Every structure is written in structure tokens, then in C-alpha cells.
Amino acid sequence: MFRQTKTVLAKLQNVRLKGLHLSWRRRSTAAAAAAAGEKAHQYTAGQQIHGFTVKEVVAVPELFLTAIKLTHDRTGAQYLHAARDDPNNLFSVQFRTTPMDSTGVPHILEHTVLCGSQKYPCRDPFFKMLNRSLCTFMNAFTASDYTMYPFSTQNAKDFQNLLSVYLDAVFFPCLREQDFWQEGWRLENEDPANASSPLVFKGVVFNEMKGAFSDNERLYAQHLQNKLYPDHTYSVVSGGEPLAIPDLTWEQLKDFHATHYHPSNARFFTYGDLPLEQHLKQIEQEALSKFERIQTNTRVPSQPPWASPREEHVTCSPDAMAPDAARQSTLCVSYKLGDITDTFEAFTLSLLSALMTSGPNAPFYKALIEPKIGTDFSSVVGYDGSTKEASFSIGLQGIAECDADKVKNIICQTVDRIIESGFEDERIEALLHKTEIQIKHQSSNFGLSLASYIASSWNHDGDPVELLRINNSIREFRRALQENPRFLQDKVQHYLKENSHRLTLSMSPDDSYLDKQVSAEERKLQEKIAALSDSDKKDIYEKGLRLLAAQSQTQDASCLPTLKVSDIAPTLAATPLHMTKAGDVPLQLCEQPTNGLVYFRAMCSLNTLPEDLKLYVPLFCSVITKMGCGSLDYRQQAQQMELKTGDMSVSPQVIPDCAHMDVFEQGVLLSSSCLERNLADMLQLWADIFNNPRFDDPERLRVLVMMSAQELANGISYSGHVYAMTRAGHLLTPAGELLETFDGMDQVKFMKRIAEMSDLTPVLRMLPRIKKHLLNPENMRCAVNATPQGASESVRHLENFMTDVAGKRKRFKAVRPNVIQRPLDVDNISGACKTLVADSNFQPCHMKTFFQLPFPVNFVSESIRTVPYSHKDYASLCVLARMMTAKFLHGEIREKGGAYGGGAKMAGGGLFSFYSYRDPNSVQTLSAFGKGVDWAKSGKFSQQDIDEAKLSIFSAVDSPVAPSNKGMSVFLSGITDEMRQRHRERLFDVTQGNLLDVAERYLSVGSKTYGVSILGPENDAIKKDPSWVVK
Ligand SMILES: [Zn+2]
């Protein structure tokens, strides 16, 4: 599943692809890192390589890398290489794109350059390469002031292939008029085949941005940026304002490309263990040698500061899911800060922002969140360094309109209080500790993290190498604090108190907002139509037919480079695991190069939990580490967690069995990490949570409930397809039913009800009942990932932990009668077991559910019950889903239908699901799914199509796993290396015959068992159709 996480930065980015696996690996040990560094050290400043001159070579030991900065002599293109012993190599090129209107020109350009180029003239090479490569990441982003094209792969040949396609796409795109219509906007007959059907606006970006603006958080962030920097590029919408998009012409698009996508305006970044020289050579030969330097005009001037603060108000659509319908306003105060290219100042201000806003000990949290004036901080909060001059924002969402002045006053008073009393030393230490853990944590997407970390500052000519040297900033920070104990308070005085460049922006719902949007679009449409002559209309009709014909054509992608199935490693690298015990509790140990961190997890079964408490489990999980424990109140607990751990969290789990459709495991997963030296302290915190959690503070619970409910409500417009899929599958398997309870629209509505309750005491009373079933060593198994030395130490600590919590050991009866015991260790079947639930009488039901929501777009899904992971047909269904997506559904749902995305996917629990994302169509998309099945059954696909689907699947199957996550599929799902190897072999073996066979047997009308769900705006067709359940 690809539920999106949201950050302030991501808010204003338009990401091209959804659902791609982010995945990286680093097999670094200190020695190996030194080896990669040594190779990089052979470069010296002044050296010339393939048209580039080396400017600087800098070792960055804290990140185990060597940075090499170069400039391209003829064009002035800038280049940064980070040599690191990581096989997951990354390339990215970014251009400074600074639009001066809201037609979305950089965003539409980002889409259209990926519609074919000189050397690779086939349509949509980008999507096609997904199936011809083992890439671990491929994407494109349009930010407010730059556009970035990154990819990563572990295969050297693949790197060259992708580099060639990327270079040709950005520097030599075809930019055909037809591409502009398809991706940008066009007027077209609603039914392109019918010249008398009404003319409407169509286009991928047009629909994407309508979807994006239906998200109130995004809308607010956009307004805030536009109004805080009103004098240049930040005053416009780089992604495109839906009604301004139809003002863009094809000529303007081509112009923008010529002036912005030029080497003189480009920054190249490469990362990993492949040799730099080869990259430089290829980039010079295939692209840069064909250009001369130009004078670019993309510099962003500083925003002239205001003489006095400003206030603005905007409106949005009401949110049906809001936790409190009467409180739906947002208000926040935003301050313009200094230039982000001042690395140390930016570092200081982001730390300062965390001290002021993050966690229950932060002054703004105490002053704004705890009085419960609003549901949560405003969607934009804290330090934001994504614009040339940074900003700090603070405010609330979910407030009553009449509380606006109250919020403003609290913000002023809190600023004064911070200036007066500063921060406790311990909080500053906790924050620096957190920074240390962040540096040490081996993410599986390190190259990409670096690329996005440096992108903004580098974009405005900041020094990216200085940014990487985080330890320098930490040292300087400590020195500054030592020299001036009021160092941070002085910053608050200067940047907040005395800053007249600040904006107070409020937003409140307007019941007629959506109607106004619709009529504004209608006016725009009529304006355009009024200007058309009869021959123009005829022309539009013919263009529409031509576009449809082009979209329906079988496409020849043979011009694109490709890997072959034989390039895929036949066997999988095994992960050694050691099964042991801590006390009586089963423990899985996995030794990994974790850089001195220990990752501790525990899975606790839900089998004995009474059914009436199930709906409360997600709430229990989200509050159990935040209410206080033992002698610590929730503030002290938060402080200890920050000082001693990287993170402690609990999440509900529904894990389908790999062999039986009607068997699953239910539980909650405890996850945590810390430095080796802090393991005993972290386990003490867990022991306190087990032995003495505090459930005595309804006011604290109210704060947490409001925040969770708000987060869930805000997430629907991002993850509507996930909710639709969860719902579509909810009556098909017993696991599906529980998943809907934990993670579906049922849960969203339940949390809304809880948030509306005036008295939470009854809810509070549920929590200890859940606790005694869940936090119980009788029902538990643990896993530790650590360095070899850390792993052996942790067994001892865990034994102490088990002794500490032994008093909580209780035997309860399982609630459901049919339980199945499965050995945890396949090599020791008489050893410890986990308990699964079986429902042999389960009858899957067909159901069509429609959720009416205030969105202008739909999320559509159909799920079909098929076979579980270890069934012999599972691999064929995986290949089929991938192939149908790439070869049929993408074209129908996105290109013809105008949705942002769509496809099919096969999940381990045995559900084959179709979905669409931000889709202008609803029931029509269901018939596109049906046509997809007909297409599959017709067998109109080639061996090449099958091979491409396999490559694409293997790039996910073989995506790198971070050291912290190794062994997790065994721990959670019981899927061993042997089982994965068997699945791998079956994937290799899938034939055309297998695909036809599974399409017929599982997906055909008549033989399929399925469910359907749509989330979307009011829908007359569905209302009139009694086969739908409308919610
Ligand atoms: Zn886009």
C-alpha cells in the first residue's frame, strides 16, 4: 500500500508517480566506506575530466562519503558527486524553474518532456522504462522553484540506460502539440467520438491540480506561500491553478523549456559506488557537448521586507469528515526568515523551530494544543526551508472562527515567554541526540534523501557540501550557545518579535465553495467556447479523434534500452537469522551493520481481545506511548523518549496467512530504536508502559484524539484509493473485515464519533481493558536488529525486561474458537508458535459501497478474491496485474480517462485489486477494469510484454532493505528466504499460457468473487442504482 506521508515540503510538490517503492540499501562497514572514499580522493581540485573541472574534494566522515564538486567548463552546469559504498546509485538533474504566472507551465513541462524525445521518440518513455529496468526509484517533481528528475538503481548497465533516457528527455524532448493537450489541458467533446457532445476541459495536469486543490491543507499551504512572498515567483502556483491552466499555450511551454531546461541552469547530482568518470563521460557526450553557455534569468530576488505585518483571509470547502463540524477554520502566523543559503543560520533556525513546536514539552504545544482551541497545528507549521528565504509558521486548524483573536494573542504571548525564559538544557540535548540518531540511521533511500536535502539551498547557489557537513554545524551550534546563553532567545527576538514581515492568514469553510468553483470553471469554459468559430469546433473534434487514435495505437517501445530477464539474479541473498529466547519469550536476532543503533520490536497477539474492543485498537495504539507511564507524566515521558530513543511507537497489524485465504494473524506491533548505550533505558520505558501506563487524564486523551481524527480526515484526499481498496475487499476475506475496522473508512468515521463525544471517560475506561490483553508477555514475540556486539548485549537486557514485566503475564481464552498454531521457526516445529485465527465457515460477500465526499474527483476500486502467497498461481497473478497496468489500464484510466493514476495490484492476502486515483470518472472506470480483464483473456500480449512485467516486479522484489528492516518478513508474516526463493522461481517461470489461464479462472465475470467501492462527489447514476450501498 502506498499511503503517503506528508511533510510541509511535500505539500507544494507535484510528484509524478505514486506508489513506487522507495528503496535503498547500504552495506557499509567502516572499512568498506573508507575504500570508496579512497577512490574518490584520487580527484584533486583543478583536475579536468570530460569537459568538467574539479572544484573541491571533501571527506564527510559523519555520512561515510566523499563529496566532489565540479563545474562544466563550456556551459557552466554544476555537478556534485557523493562517493559512498552503496550499490544503490542515484542520479538526479534539477533545473531552477521560476514561473511568473499560475498556468502551471513548469509542472506541465515536467509531464510533457516525459512524452518522448529525439533519440527515444516513443510515447511516455518514462512509464515504459519502469518495465525495462530494475530501478529502485524513478520519479519527477515540480517544486515551487525547481524541477527535479531523480532515479536510482543497483545495476550499472541499468544506470547507463536510465541516464541516457533521462538526459534525452530533459534536454531533447519532442514537446509535440499532442503531448501538450494530453498532459496539460485541452478542449474536447465530452465523448470524443461524438461531435455533438458538449465541449469540456480535459488534461492530466488540469485534473491533477483540481484534485490537489480539493485538499484543504494543500490549499492553505499554497495561499500562505503566495501571500508571504508576494513580489516574485512564490506569488504564483508552480503546479498550476486549475482555472489558469487553460491560459497556457503550446508556444509558451516550448519557450519555457528553451530558457529553463538548459545546462547553464542545471545542477547534476550523482551518488553511490559507481565510478564518477563514467557518469561525466556519458553526460558530456550525450548532452552537454551539444550546448553553448547562455545567460539564464532564473535567479530569485529576495522578497523586499514589509514595513508592517499583514492579515489575509481565504475560504475553502467544508469537510464532511471534520472531527467537529462547527470548528473548521485555520489560522496561522507566518514569519519570513533569513536566506536558506546561510547554512548555519538555517540549521539553527530549524533546531529552534523544533524546540518551540515539537512534542508536549514545546512551548507552542503547551500554549496552543493543550487548551484544545483547535484540533491540531495548522497544516503548515514550524521551519520551512523550501523557499529562497525560509519561513517559520505557527497556528492551529480546527478552530471556531470566533477564536481567531484568542489564537493570535496566545502566539504573541508565547513568543514573549520564550524570549524571557528560553529552553531547558535537557531539551536542547534531547534534540541534538535526535540529530545524532538521524545521521546514524541507515535509511533505505539514502541517495534520494541527500538529493532532496540539498536541493533547495543548492538551487539558490548555496554550498551543498557545507550542508552535508552536519557535524560542523552541531559544533558551531554548541559553541554559539556556550558563548551566549541567550543565543536562541536572541534569535526569537530578532526573527519573531521584531519582525514586521509576518502574515496572519485565516481560512474558513464556505458552504457554497464547491458550487463557486464549478461555476467559475463553467464561466471559463463558456469564455473559451464563445471564442470558437465553427471551423475551430470541427478542428477540436478532429484533434480529439486523432488523440484518441494515438492513445489507442499499439505502441512500439523498441527504441528504448532495456535490461533482460537474464540480467536478474537467479537467487536471492539470504538473511541469516538467529532464533532464541529472552526469558520465555521467543526472540529473533538479526545481526546487521546498523551503525551502533539497536532496533527492538515486539508483536503482541490480539486473539484474546473481546470483539467489542476491536474498533478501539488503533486509538489505543496511537495514545499508549503518549499518556505517561510509571512515575513519569506524559511530558516527562516524552522528554525521556527524546533523550534516550529514536522512536517508540505501536501500530495495529492484520497479517494474512501465506497459505490460507481465511486464516490471519491479528496483533499490535511495538517498534523502537535507540543507540546501543541506551537500550536498558529504552526497555525501562517499555516496561513502565507495560506495568504502569497512565489512563487517568481525559484532557490529555482529548488532545490526542483530536489530533488523530484530524489527521485521518486530512489523509482521505491523499489516500482515497487505499480506502477504496480496503473497502472493496472488506467482505472477501476475514482479514479484510478486520483491516476495514482498523484502517478503513469505518475507522475514520469511528474516530470522528469519538472526537465529537463531550465526555471521553467511557473511552478512557476501555484502554486498560485493551491493555491487559495486549501488553502481555504470554502473547508476545520479539525481534532485535543490531550489530553483532549489540545483538548479544541486547539478549541480556531483554531478559531483564521480561523479568520486569513477568507480573503482567496472564492466560486468557481466545475469543474466536478456531485458532491455529504455527511454529515461528520452520526448522524447529516443536518450538514456539504464533496463534492465527481461522474462519473455515467464512462466506465471501459481494458488496458495492459508495462514500459521498466533498471532492471533485473519484477514487475507484474493485477487489477480487484469488489465492494466497504460497499458492502456485500467485506469481502468475502478480505478473498479470503488473502487465495489465502497464499495457492496458494506464492507457485507459490515465491517458484516455484523465485520472492521475490507475492500475491493478496483487497483494499477499490474495486480493487482486483494481484502482484509480483522482479520477474524473466513476462507474465508467469500473468498465475500464472489465475491459482490462477482456484484454488479458484475449491474449493480445507478447513475450516482451511478459518480460517487462517481470522486470518491473523484480525491481520491487529485489529492492534494497535497510539494515533495520532485515528479517522482518520472517518475523511478521513468516515468509522465509526459502519461500521467497520459491516465489522468485515461479515468477521466472510464468508463461503466456499461465496468464491466460489465471485471467480466465479468477478474473472472469461469473467466476470471480468481488467487491467494489468508490469514494467521490455526489453521483446521480449511483444514487439511482439500488445495487449500491451509499454511505
Ligand atoms: Zn503532475
Side-chain angles (χ1 to χ4, degrees), residues 257-301:
H257 177 265
T259 48
H260 291 76
Y261 281 37
H262 188 282
S264 303
N265 191 41
R267 287 163 183 81
F268 293 90
F269 175 63
T270 48
Y271 162 88
D273 66 356
L274 290 175
L276 169 63
E277 270 201 63
Q278 172 59 38
H279 300 336
L280 297 176
K281 187 174 167 195
Q282 192 180 351
I283 292 169
E284 163 71 359
Q285 277 177 357
E286 295 186 18
L288 302 191
S289 60
K290 297 166 187 161
F291 288 89
E292 297 297 334
R293 188 188 292 255
I294 59 164
Q295 271 317 318
T296 59
N297 183 24
T298 57
R299 208 180 62 83
V300 180

Short mmCIF file of all heavy atoms in Angstrom, two decimals, residues 257-301:
data_model
loop_
_atom_site.label_atom_id
_atom_site.label_comp_id
_atom_site.label_asym_id
_atom_site.label_seq_id
_atom_site.Cartn_x
_atom_site.Cartn_y
_atom_site.Cartn_z
N HIS A 257 10.77 25.83 -21.86
CA HIS A 257 11.78 24.76 -21.92
C HIS A 257 13.12 25.31 -22.38
O HIS A 257 14.16 25.04 -21.78
CB HIS A 257 11.32 23.64 -22.86
CG HIS A 257 12.34 22.55 -22.99
ND1 HIS A 257 13.26 22.51 -24.02
CD2 HIS A 257 12.63 21.50 -22.18
CE1 HIS A 257 14.05 21.46 -23.84
NE2 HIS A 257 13.69 20.83 -22.74
N ALA A 258 13.11 26.11 -23.45
CA ALA A 258 14.37 26.60 -24.02
C ALA A 258 15.14 27.45 -23.01
O ALA A 258 16.37 27.41 -22.96
CB ALA A 258 14.08 27.40 -25.28
N THR A 259 14.44 28.19 -22.18
CA THR A 259 15.14 29.10 -21.28
C THR A 259 15.47 28.47 -19.92
O THR A 259 16.35 28.96 -19.21
CB THR A 259 14.31 30.37 -21.03
OG1 THR A 259 12.97 29.97 -20.71
CG2 THR A 259 14.28 31.25 -22.27
N HIS A 260 14.75 27.41 -19.54
CA HIS A 260 14.98 26.84 -18.21
C HIS A 260 15.68 25.49 -18.22
O HIS A 260 16.47 25.21 -17.33
CB HIS A 260 13.65 26.72 -17.46
CG HIS A 260 13.06 28.04 -17.06
ND1 HIS A 260 12.44 28.87 -17.96
CD2 HIS A 260 13.02 28.68 -15.87
CE1 HIS A 260 12.03 29.97 -17.35
NE2 HIS A 260 12.37 29.87 -16.07
N TYR A 261 15.37 24.65 -19.21
CA TYR A 261 15.98 23.32 -19.25
C TYR A 261 17.26 23.38 -20.08
O TYR A 261 17.38 22.74 -21.12
CB TYR A 261 15.01 22.29 -19.84
CG TYR A 261 13.95 21.80 -18.89
CD1 TYR A 261 13.37 22.64 -17.95
CD2 TYR A 261 13.51 20.47 -18.93
CE1 TYR A 261 12.39 22.19 -17.09
CE2 TYR A 261 12.53 20.01 -18.06
CZ TYR A 261 11.98 20.87 -17.15
OH TYR A 261 11.00 20.42 -16.31
N HIS A 262 18.21 24.14 -19.57
CA HIS A 262 19.46 24.33 -20.29
C HIS A 262 20.58 24.00 -19.32
O HIS A 262 20.46 24.28 -18.12
CB HIS A 262 19.55 25.78 -20.78
CG HIS A 262 20.71 26.02 -21.69
ND1 HIS A 262 21.99 26.16 -21.22
CD2 HIS A 262 20.78 26.12 -23.04
CE1 HIS A 262 22.82 26.34 -22.26
NE2 HIS A 262 22.11 26.33 -23.37
N PRO A 263 21.70 23.40 -19.82
CA PRO A 263 22.79 23.07 -18.90
C PRO A 263 23.23 24.25 -18.04
O PRO A 263 23.61 24.06 -16.88
CB PRO A 263 23.90 22.63 -19.85
CG PRO A 263 23.19 22.09 -21.04
CD PRO A 263 21.95 22.93 -21.19
N SER A 264 23.18 25.47 -18.60
CA SER A 264 23.62 26.63 -17.81
C SER A 264 22.71 26.88 -16.62
O SER A 264 23.03 27.66 -15.73
CB SER A 264 23.66 27.88 -18.69
OG SER A 264 24.50 27.68 -19.80
N ASN A 265 21.54 26.22 -16.61
CA ASN A 265 20.60 26.37 -15.50
C ASN A 265 20.40 25.03 -14.77
O ASN A 265 19.41 24.83 -14.09
CB ASN A 265 19.26 26.88 -16.06
CG ASN A 265 18.29 27.33 -14.98
OD1 ASN A 265 18.70 27.99 -14.02
ND2 ASN A 265 17.02 26.98 -15.13
N ALA A 266 21.38 24.11 -14.95
CA ALA A 266 21.19 22.75 -14.43
C ALA A 266 22.15 22.41 -13.31
O ALA A 266 23.28 22.93 -13.26
CB ALA A 266 21.36 21.74 -15.57
N ARG A 267 21.70 21.57 -12.40
CA ARG A 267 22.54 21.01 -11.34
C ARG A 267 22.40 19.50 -11.36
O ARG A 267 21.30 18.98 -11.24
CB ARG A 267 22.11 21.58 -9.99
CG ARG A 267 22.51 23.03 -9.81
CD ARG A 267 21.74 23.71 -8.69
NE ARG A 267 22.12 25.12 -8.62
CZ ARG A 267 21.62 26.07 -9.41
NH1 ARG A 267 20.70 25.77 -10.30
NH2 ARG A 267 22.04 27.32 -9.30
N PHE A 268 23.54 18.83 -11.54
CA PHE A 268 23.55 17.37 -11.60
C PHE A 268 24.05 16.83 -10.27
O PHE A 268 25.01 17.35 -9.69
CB PHE A 268 24.52 16.88 -12.68
CG PHE A 268 24.09 17.22 -14.08
CD1 PHE A 268 24.49 18.41 -14.67
CD2 PHE A 268 23.30 16.34 -14.82
CE1 PHE A 268 24.12 18.73 -15.97
CE2 PHE A 268 22.92 16.64 -16.11
CZ PHE A 268 23.33 17.84 -16.70
N PHE A 269 23.43 15.74 -9.81
CA PHE A 269 23.89 15.10 -8.57
C PHE A 269 23.96 13.60 -8.81
O PHE A 269 23.01 13.01 -9.35
CB PHE A 269 22.91 15.40 -7.43
CG PHE A 269 23.23 14.69 -6.14
CD1 PHE A 269 24.41 14.96 -5.46
CD2 PHE A 269 22.35 13.74 -5.61
CE1 PHE A 269 24.70 14.30 -4.25
CE2 PHE A 269 22.64 13.09 -4.42
CZ PHE A 269 23.82 13.37 -3.74
N THR A 270 25.10 12.98 -8.49
CA THR A 270 25.18 11.53 -8.53
C THR A 270 25.67 11.03 -7.19
O THR A 270 26.36 11.73 -6.45
CB THR A 270 26.13 11.03 -9.64
OG1 THR A 270 27.36 11.76 -9.57
CG2 THR A 270 25.52 11.19 -11.01
N TYR A 271 25.30 9.78 -6.88
CA TYR A 271 25.56 9.22 -5.55
C TYR A 271 25.77 7.72 -5.70
O TYR A 271 25.09 7.07 -6.50
CB TYR A 271 24.34 9.48 -4.65
CG TYR A 271 24.31 8.61 -3.43
CD1 TYR A 271 24.94 9.01 -2.25
CD2 TYR A 271 23.67 7.36 -3.46
CE1 TYR A 271 24.93 8.19 -1.14
CE2 TYR A 271 23.65 6.55 -2.34
CZ TYR A 271 24.28 6.96 -1.18
OH TYR A 271 24.27 6.15 -0.09
N GLY A 272 26.70 7.18 -4.92
CA GLY A 272 26.84 5.73 -4.86
C GLY A 272 28.25 5.25 -5.15
O GLY A 272 29.20 6.01 -5.08
N ASP A 273 28.35 3.94 -5.51
CA ASP A 273 29.68 3.34 -5.66
C ASP A 273 30.12 3.20 -7.12
O ASP A 273 31.18 2.67 -7.38
CB ASP A 273 29.74 1.99 -4.93
CG ASP A 273 28.82 0.94 -5.55
OD1 ASP A 273 28.07 1.28 -6.50
OD2 ASP A 273 28.84 -0.21 -5.08
N LEU A 274 29.33 3.65 -8.09
CA LEU A 274 29.78 3.58 -9.48
C LEU A 274 30.79 4.69 -9.74
O LEU A 274 30.73 5.75 -9.12
CB LEU A 274 28.59 3.72 -10.43
CG LEU A 274 27.61 2.55 -10.46
CD1 LEU A 274 26.41 2.89 -11.36
CD2 LEU A 274 28.29 1.27 -10.95
N PRO A 275 31.75 4.44 -10.68
CA PRO A 275 32.78 5.46 -10.91
C PRO A 275 32.24 6.76 -11.51
O PRO A 275 31.45 6.75 -12.45
CB PRO A 275 33.74 4.77 -11.88
CG PRO A 275 33.01 3.59 -12.41
CD PRO A 275 31.93 3.23 -11.46
N LEU A 276 32.69 7.86 -10.94
CA LEU A 276 32.27 9.19 -11.38
C LEU A 276 32.63 9.44 -12.85
O LEU A 276 31.84 10.02 -13.60
CB LEU A 276 32.93 10.24 -10.48
CG LEU A 276 32.85 11.70 -10.91
CD1 LEU A 276 31.40 12.18 -10.95
CD2 LEU A 276 33.66 12.59 -9.97
N GLU A 277 33.83 9.01 -13.24
CA GLU A 277 34.30 9.33 -14.60
C GLU A 277 33.33 8.87 -15.67
O GLU A 277 33.09 9.57 -16.65
CB GLU A 277 35.66 8.66 -14.84
CG GLU A 277 36.79 9.57 -14.44
CD GLU A 277 38.08 9.16 -15.13
OE1 GLU A 277 38.15 9.20 -16.37
OE2 GLU A 277 38.99 8.79 -14.38
N GLN A 278 32.80 7.68 -15.50
CA GLN A 278 31.86 7.13 -16.47
C GLN A 278 30.62 8.02 -16.57
O GLN A 278 30.12 8.30 -17.67
CB GLN A 278 31.51 5.70 -16.08
CG GLN A 278 30.40 5.06 -16.88
CD GLN A 278 30.72 5.01 -18.37
OE1 GLN A 278 31.87 4.78 -18.78
NE2 GLN A 278 29.70 5.26 -19.20
N HIS A 279 30.13 8.49 -15.44
CA HIS A 279 28.95 9.38 -15.46
C HIS A 279 29.26 10.66 -16.25
O HIS A 279 28.49 11.09 -17.08
CB HIS A 279 28.55 9.82 -14.04
CG HIS A 279 28.19 8.70 -13.12
ND1 HIS A 279 27.75 7.48 -13.55
CD2 HIS A 279 28.18 8.65 -11.76
CE1 HIS A 279 27.50 6.71 -12.50
NE2 HIS A 279 27.76 7.39 -11.40
N LEU A 280 30.42 11.25 -15.94
CA LEU A 280 30.78 12.53 -16.57
C LEU A 280 30.89 12.35 -18.08
O LEU A 280 30.40 13.18 -18.85
CB LEU A 280 32.11 13.04 -16.01
CG LEU A 280 32.12 13.37 -14.51
CD1 LEU A 280 33.52 13.78 -14.06
CD2 LEU A 280 31.11 14.48 -14.18
N LYS A 281 31.52 11.25 -18.46
CA LYS A 281 31.72 10.99 -19.88
C LYS A 281 30.38 10.90 -20.61
O LYS A 281 30.16 11.52 -21.65
CB LYS A 281 32.51 9.69 -20.04
CG LYS A 281 32.94 9.37 -21.45
CD LYS A 281 33.82 8.14 -21.44
CE LYS A 281 34.00 7.63 -22.86
NZ LYS A 281 34.53 6.27 -22.89
N GLN A 282 29.48 10.13 -20.04
CA GLN A 282 28.19 9.93 -20.70
C GLN A 282 27.38 11.23 -20.74
O GLN A 282 26.75 11.55 -21.76
CB GLN A 282 27.40 8.83 -19.96
CG GLN A 282 26.18 8.37 -20.75
CD GLN A 282 25.39 7.28 -20.03
OE1 GLN A 282 25.82 6.74 -18.99
NE2 GLN A 282 24.22 6.95 -20.56
N ILE A 283 27.41 11.99 -19.66
CA ILE A 283 26.64 13.24 -19.63
C ILE A 283 27.20 14.24 -20.63
O ILE A 283 26.46 14.92 -21.35
CB ILE A 283 26.63 13.81 -18.19
CG1 ILE A 283 25.82 12.89 -17.27
CG2 ILE A 283 26.05 15.22 -18.16
CD1 ILE A 283 25.94 13.19 -15.79
N GLU A 284 28.54 14.31 -20.71
CA GLU A 284 29.18 15.19 -21.69
C GLU A 284 28.81 14.77 -23.11
O GLU A 284 28.37 15.58 -23.92
CB GLU A 284 30.70 15.16 -21.46
CG GLU A 284 31.55 15.69 -22.61
CD GLU A 284 31.49 17.20 -22.81
OE1 GLU A 284 30.75 17.86 -22.05
OE2 GLU A 284 32.14 17.71 -23.74
N GLN A 285 28.99 13.48 -23.40
CA GLN A 285 28.78 13.01 -24.78
C GLN A 285 27.34 13.13 -25.21
O GLN A 285 27.05 13.58 -26.32
CB GLN A 285 29.21 11.55 -24.91
CG GLN A 285 30.69 11.40 -25.12
CD GLN A 285 31.11 9.94 -25.17
OE1 GLN A 285 30.29 9.03 -25.00
NE2 GLN A 285 32.39 9.71 -25.42
N GLU A 286 26.42 12.70 -24.35
CA GLU A 286 25.04 12.60 -24.82
C GLU A 286 24.27 13.91 -24.68
O GLU A 286 23.21 14.06 -25.28
CB GLU A 286 24.31 11.48 -24.07
CG GLU A 286 24.90 10.12 -24.40
CD GLU A 286 24.13 8.95 -23.79
OE1 GLU A 286 22.96 9.12 -23.40
OE2 GLU A 286 24.72 7.86 -23.69
N ALA A 287 24.80 14.84 -23.87
CA ALA A 287 24.00 16.07 -23.69
C ALA A 287 24.84 17.34 -23.75
O ALA A 287 24.72 18.14 -24.68
CB ALA A 287 23.25 16.02 -22.37
N LEU A 288 25.74 17.51 -22.80
CA LEU A 288 26.34 18.84 -22.61
C LEU A 288 27.16 19.30 -23.81
O LEU A 288 27.22 20.50 -24.11
CB LEU A 288 27.19 18.86 -21.34
CG LEU A 288 26.44 18.50 -20.05
CD1 LEU A 288 27.29 18.80 -18.83
CD2 LEU A 288 25.11 19.26 -19.96
N SER A 289 27.81 18.37 -24.52
CA SER A 289 28.66 18.77 -25.66
C SER A 289 27.85 19.46 -26.74
O SER A 289 28.40 20.10 -27.63
CB SER A 289 29.38 17.56 -26.22
OG SER A 289 28.43 16.61 -26.66
N LYS A 290 26.52 19.33 -26.68
CA LYS A 290 25.69 19.91 -27.74
C LYS A 290 25.17 21.30 -27.40
O LYS A 290 24.32 21.83 -28.09
CB LYS A 290 24.52 18.96 -28.04
CG LYS A 290 25.06 17.62 -28.57
CD LYS A 290 24.04 16.52 -28.58
CE LYS A 290 24.74 15.20 -28.95
NZ LYS A 290 23.98 14.02 -28.58
N PHE A 291 25.66 21.86 -26.31
CA PHE A 291 25.16 23.18 -25.89
C PHE A 291 26.29 24.19 -25.74
O PHE A 291 27.43 23.84 -25.49
CB PHE A 291 24.44 23.06 -24.54
CG PHE A 291 23.11 22.37 -24.62
CD1 PHE A 291 23.04 20.99 -24.47
CD2 PHE A 291 21.95 23.08 -24.84
CE1 PHE A 291 21.81 20.34 -24.53
CE2 PHE A 291 20.72 22.43 -24.90
CZ PHE A 291 20.66 21.06 -24.75
N GLU A 292 25.92 25.47 -25.89
CA GLU A 292 26.81 26.58 -25.55
C GLU A 292 26.20 27.27 -24.32
O GLU A 292 24.99 27.21 -24.10
CB GLU A 292 26.86 27.60 -26.69
CG GLU A 292 27.44 27.05 -27.98
CD GLU A 292 28.90 26.62 -27.86
OE1 GLU A 292 29.61 27.16 -26.97
OE2 GLU A 292 29.32 25.73 -28.63
N ARG A 293 27.03 27.94 -23.57
CA ARG A 293 26.54 28.64 -22.38
C ARG A 293 25.51 29.72 -22.76
O ARG A 293 25.67 30.40 -23.78
CB ARG A 293 27.74 29.30 -21.68
CG ARG A 293 27.42 29.90 -20.32
CD ARG A 293 28.60 30.69 -19.80
NE ARG A 293 29.73 29.82 -19.46
CZ ARG A 293 30.08 29.52 -18.20
NH1 ARG A 293 29.40 30.00 -17.20
NH2 ARG A 293 31.12 28.75 -17.97
N ILE A 294 24.46 29.86 -21.99
CA ILE A 294 23.56 31.00 -22.17
C ILE A 294 23.48 31.79 -20.87
O ILE A 294 23.85 31.30 -19.80
CB ILE A 294 22.12 30.57 -22.57
CG1 ILE A 294 21.50 29.66 -21.50
CG2 ILE A 294 22.08 29.93 -23.94
CD1 ILE A 294 19.98 29.50 -21.61
N GLN A 295 23.01 33.03 -20.99
CA GLN A 295 22.74 33.82 -19.80
C GLN A 295 21.35 33.40 -19.30
O GLN A 295 20.38 33.52 -20.03
CB GLN A 295 22.72 35.32 -20.13
CG GLN A 295 24.06 36.02 -20.05
CD GLN A 295 24.91 35.65 -18.84
OE1 GLN A 295 24.39 35.53 -17.73
NE2 GLN A 295 26.20 35.44 -19.04
N THR A 296 21.27 32.88 -18.10
CA THR A 296 19.95 32.50 -17.61
C THR A 296 19.37 33.64 -16.79
O THR A 296 20.10 34.50 -16.30
CB THR A 296 20.03 31.25 -16.72
OG1 THR A 296 20.89 31.55 -15.64
CG2 THR A 296 20.52 30.06 -17.50
N ASN A 297 18.06 33.61 -16.70
CA ASN A 297 17.38 34.68 -15.98
C ASN A 297 16.43 34.04 -14.98
O ASN A 297 15.24 34.28 -14.99
CB ASN A 297 16.61 35.54 -17.01
CG ASN A 297 15.94 36.70 -16.34
OD1 ASN A 297 16.37 37.14 -15.26
ND2 ASN A 297 14.86 37.19 -16.94
N THR A 298 16.97 33.18 -14.14
CA THR A 298 16.10 32.44 -13.23
C THR A 298 16.37 32.74 -11.77
O THR A 298 15.81 32.11 -10.88
CB THR A 298 16.28 30.91 -13.44
OG1 THR A 298 17.67 30.60 -13.24
CG2 THR A 298 15.86 30.49 -14.83
N ARG A 299 17.26 33.69 -11.51
CA ARG A 299 17.60 33.99 -10.12
C ARG A 299 16.37 34.53 -9.39
O ARG A 299 15.62 35.34 -9.95
CB ARG A 299 18.71 35.04 -10.09
CG ARG A 299 19.62 34.99 -8.87
CD ARG A 299 20.67 36.09 -8.95
NE ARG A 299 20.04 37.41 -8.96
CZ ARG A 299 19.65 38.06 -7.86
NH1 ARG A 299 19.85 37.54 -6.68
NH2 ARG A 299 19.07 39.25 -7.94
N VAL A 300 16.17 34.09 -8.18
CA VAL A 300 15.04 34.59 -7.40
C VAL A 300 15.55 35.71 -6.49
O VAL A 300 16.42 35.48 -5.65
CB VAL A 300 14.42 33.47 -6.54
CG1 VAL A 300 13.24 34.01 -5.74
CG2 VAL A 300 13.99 32.31 -7.41
N PRO A 301 15.04 36.93 -6.66
CA PRO A 301 15.49 38.02 -5.79
C PRO A 301 14.91 37.85 -4.39
O PRO A 301 13.90 37.16 -4.21
CB PRO A 301 14.91 39.27 -6.45
CG PRO A 301 13.71 38.79 -7.20
CD PRO A 301 13.99 37.37 -7.61
#
